[in-house]
Amino acid sequence: MLKEDVLTIADVIRQRAKDRGEGLVFTFEGDEMTYSQLDAGSNRAANGLMSLGVQKGDRIAYMGKNSHWYFEILLGAAKLGAVMTPVNWRLAPPEVAYIVNDCQAKTLFIGPEFVDLARQIKPDLKHVETIFCSEENSAEFPGYPDWRDEFSNVDPMVACAPDDDALQLYTSGTTGHPKGAVMTGASIFASRAKLSDDDLADWQKSEPGDTMLLAMPCFHIGGTGSGLGNIYSDGHAVIVREYDPAQALDFIEQYGINKIFMVPAAIQILLNHPRVNEVDFSKLQYITYGASPIPLELMKQSIDTFGCGFVQMYGMTETTGTIVALPPEDHDPNGNEKMRSVGKPLPGVEVKIIDEQGNSLPPREVGEIATRSSQNMKGYWNMPEATAATIDADGWLRTGDAGYFDEDGYLYIHDRVKDMIISGGENIYPAEVENAIYGHPAVADVAVIGVPDERWGEAVKACVVLKDSQDVSEADIISHARKNIAGFKCPKSVDFIPALPRNPSGKILRRELRSPYWDGKDRAVN
């Protein structure tokens, strides 16, 4: 276990290289990387970035699918005190350009699948001076591995502190633009650094020889956090470029995978694969899942098929991942009240339920969930007002989720204070979608809501008011939105209505629009 005061990302890999040396840290598409190789490669990356003028506090951007190179570049940036900003590769080109410009990245790394996109947005990038292809040379962008090898593997040893900016992840924005949530080394490793093995539950511990499957995208805290946590805990992670159920099944057997983190939709896809009943899951110990609960029937099927423990996790980008967990012993395939909860706060995490004035509420009374811990983000990049609205002077972060505690301290998610939609693990704010639809010449007014969906948890629905004498189809609206925003944010269905319900001050009454679709459910989230 590292000392409590050694919490920078750079210090973690330095120490692990000394302790673990030739132990495997990552396997990616047959390429094995040891702790020593990761340490030396990140030194080269740091020296290369320094030669480009990247300094402490600067942002670099990465837009590509998962690979071990991503973590090497991230660690190289960390050794300079620079900040990694991974960009969601599912976004539309204008959205990608906005994030790269907003973080003011001087250097952009792109995956091989996104050379055309980089070429398309390059004229719109205001700060980027150099673009690298993360895996191999392309016709116009140099390849990262060849470039990196030109530099020394001697650690530059730039002085960095645990509370320095280290990672910037973008979240959907309530006003239409995403916000950059800034994390530090201290917040990333907080859930482990101050705890001994005696403080950890069995599902949190990492034993020698454990291997995890890293299948979640690294532009989410679930992907990057899992990879960095793997390094911290002396683990070995098999990285998949993009979640594929057939490949996941192959790797579970081939590498003897012990732990996997997935969203429920990915678990369901895995269960529906025709080969699932032929796979040996005997070494699989835990599947952790988040973003939404698992329906009871899906849980029964999962326990029967995988035969492992399940842990539900609740957290968000702004809390640097998990803050509340429902352990395996509370997962009853026959169903119980606790399975409707997301569990209890983790050690070192405070959670309370508050009313609109910030007063704490008693058990069973619904209010907004607020949390305080060293895991909380530092704030939103260059958005002091948004930061102050989210984190108060005492360090309490408002999550935007409505919920309640029971008498035993289990937390239940009841609704969302904000209007966010979670579909397949992706956060979507109505404002982003509405802005994309408003530009259609036939649209007079629009409101976007989340409705229950069997596969993805929730689906995006647009409620559209057309201008007089206009006649357009559902497909027309969806196609127009797709030009401006990522496909997963686009509405899956459109209702054409005569007028939107509003209160006297003109605010859209989304709850009235949502109500018919959630009728009969005991909570307004899925």
Side-chain angles (χ1 to χ4, degrees):
M1 183 67 66
L2 293 171
K3 294 181 181 179
E4 182 178 328
D5 59 347
V6 183
L7 288 174
T8 70
I9 294 174
D11 282 331
V12 170
I13 185 54
R14 288 171 184 140
Q15 187 64 46
R16 289 298 173 248
K18 291 178 183 177
D19 297 340
R20 292 275 285 143
E22 299 312 304
L24 286 180
V25 58
F26 294 127
T27 297
F28 175 69
E29 296 183 351
D31 190 4
E32 295 181 338
M33 179 180 282
T34 68
Y35 279 86
S36 291
Q37 289 171 332
L38 178 58
D39 186 45
S42 60
N43 289 341
R44 294 183 187 275
N47 289 316
L49 289 168
M50 190 183 298
S51 76
L52 297 174
V54 177
Q55 302 177 26
K56 185 174 181 178
D58 286 344
R59 271 59 180 163
I60 66 169
Y62 178 98
M63 206 206 59
K65 298 182 179 180
N66 293 356
S67 80
H68 54 346
W69 300 128
Y70 164 75
F71 288 100
E72 186 177 280
I73 296 166
L74 186 160
L75 291 169
K79 287 178 175 178
L80 295 180
V83 182
M84 170 59 82
T85 302
V87 183
N88 186 338
W89 47 263
R90 295 172 179 157
L91 298 178
E95 295 174 301
V96 174
Y98 174 84
I99 290 174
V100 176
N101 285 333
D102 184 70
C103 75
Q104 300 172 20
K106 295 180 178 180
T107 309
L108 170 64
F109 295 85
I110 58 166
E113 304 91 345
F114 304 106
V115 171
D116 287 344
L117 185 146
R119 184 185 304 116
Q120 179 181 345
I121 67 172
K122 185 179 178 181
D124 300 322
L125 301 181
K126 300 176 182 177
H127 307 281
V128 170
E129 298 170 0
T130 312
I131 299 176
F132 291 100
C133 195
S134 63
E135 296 179 33
E136 58 189 18
N137 296 321
S138 70
E140 55 200 294
F141 304 124
Y144 162 72
D146 288 347
W147 168 80
R148 169 209 62 182
D149 287 343
E150 298 174 6
F151 298 93
S152 167
N153 67 356
V154 176
D155 194 324
M157 297 302 295
V158 174
C160 298
D163 288 328
D164 289 341
D165 298 359
L167 179 68
Q168 188 160 312
L169 299 178
Y170 276 77
T171 68
S172 294
T174 54
T175 58
H177 283 308
K179 303 188 291 290
V182 178
M183 277 137 269
T184 67
S187 68
I188 291 167
F189 297 124
S191 63
R192 303 296 297 273
K194 297 184 179 181
L195 303 177
S196 69
D197 283 347
D198 292 338
D199 297 319
L200 300 174
D202 286 344
W203 60 269
Q204 292 175 292
K205 295 177 182 177
S206 180
E207 302 295 336
D210 277 359
T211 299
M212 66 170 288
L213 185 68
L214 203 167
M216 299 305 297
C218 287
F219 55 76
H220 281 320
I221 189 60
T224 292
S226 294
L228 293 175
N230 172 70
I231 296 170
Y232 188 93
S233 60
D234 292 336
H236 171 219
V238 177
I239 299 174
V240 298
R241 186 181 294 271
E242 180 181 6
Y243 177 71
D244 173 77
Q247 188 180 58
L249 292 173
D250 288 343
F251 287 174
I252 287 169
E253 280 195 312
Q254 181 181 346
Y255 296 101
I257 299 295
N258 308 115
K259 298 176 182 177
I260 308 174
F261 173 75
M262 291 189 286
V263 296
I267 296 174
Q268 187 170 45
I269 291 169
L270 200 64
L271 285 170
N272 290 338
H273 193 277
R275 204 169 66 78
V276 69
N277 293 319
E278 302 170 10
V279 174
D280 178 8
F281 295 106
S282 60
K283 293 188 177 180
L284 188 59
Q285 298 172 343
Y286 297 105
I287 292 178
T288 54
Y289 64 97
S292 64
I294 289 183
L296 184 59
E297 287 305 313
L298 179 59
M299 177 54 64
K300 288 180 180 178
Q301 187 182 355
S302 299
I303 292 175
D304 289 344
T305 301
F306 301 123
C308 66
F310 283 80
V311 182
Q312 182 179 174
M313 295 178 163
Y314 169 73
M316 55 199 301
T317 303
E318 288 87 343
T319 61
T320 322
T322 306
I323 54 172
V324 177
L326 185 73
E329 55 267 29
D330 285 322
H331 282 70
D332 182 356
N334 297 314
N336 59 38
E337 186 188 18
K338 304 305 183 193
M339 280 194 64
R340 291 183 49 248
S341 78
V342 291
K344 292 183 174 182
L346 294 178
V349 175
E350 297 177 86
V351 178
K352 64 180 180 179
I353 307 298
I354 58 175
D355 61 18
E356 290 184 4
Q357 288 72 43
N359 302 309
S360 295
L361 297 174
R364 303 284 174 181
E365 194 161 333
V366 175
E368 184 172 4
I369 300 168
T371 179
R372 181 170 65 181
S373 77
S374 50
Q375 288 184 227
N376 282 357
M377 68 171 182
K378 194 172 185 177
Y380 293 118
W381 170 247
N382 286 340
M383 299 182 75
E385 291 182 2
T387 300
T390 302
I391 306 175
D392 69 19
D394 294 323
W396 286 96
L397 184 149
R398 290 176 174 262
T399 66
D401 287 329
Y404 62 91
F405 277 114
D406 68 12
E407 292 77 7
D408 297 321
Y410 285 77
L411 178 66
Y412 295 75
I413 309 299
H414 181 75
D415 200 346
R416 298 200 177 96
V417 176
K418 300 174 184 176
D419 296 314
M420 187 174 70
I421 301 161
I422 300 182
S423 182
E426 294 281 7
N427 294 349
I428 304 163
Y429 271 106
E432 292 184 275
V433 189
E434 290 162 358
N435 287 348
I437 294 173
Y438 262 124
H440 193 290
V443 172
D445 210 352
V446 59
V448 167
I449 59 173
V451 297
D453 184 88
E454 285 290 327
R455 183 173 188 181
W456 303 114
E458 296 175 15
V460 178
K461 175 181 282 291
C463 301
V464 173
V465 179
L466 295 177
K467 295 177 181 177
D468 291 343
S469 74
Q470 296 293 322
D471 183 20
V472 297
S473 69
E474 177 181 76
D476 290 333
I477 298 295
I478 296 172
S479 175
H480 179 81
R482 194 177 293 272
K483 296 175 185 176
N484 301 294
I485 56 174
F488 69 84
K489 298 178 183 178
C490 292
K492 301 298 182 288
S493 60
V494 179
D495 287 352
F496 293 101
I497 59 178
L500 296 180
R502 295 180 182 272
N503 67 11
S505 64
K507 183 180 179 180
I508 296 172
L509 300 175
R510 294 181 199 276
R511 202 171 296 273
E512 286 190 16
L513 294 171
R514 298 173 72 216
S515 179
Y517 301 97
W518 296 90
D519 187 41
K521 293 184 176 289
D522 56 12
R523 59 187 171 208
V525 292
N526 199 40

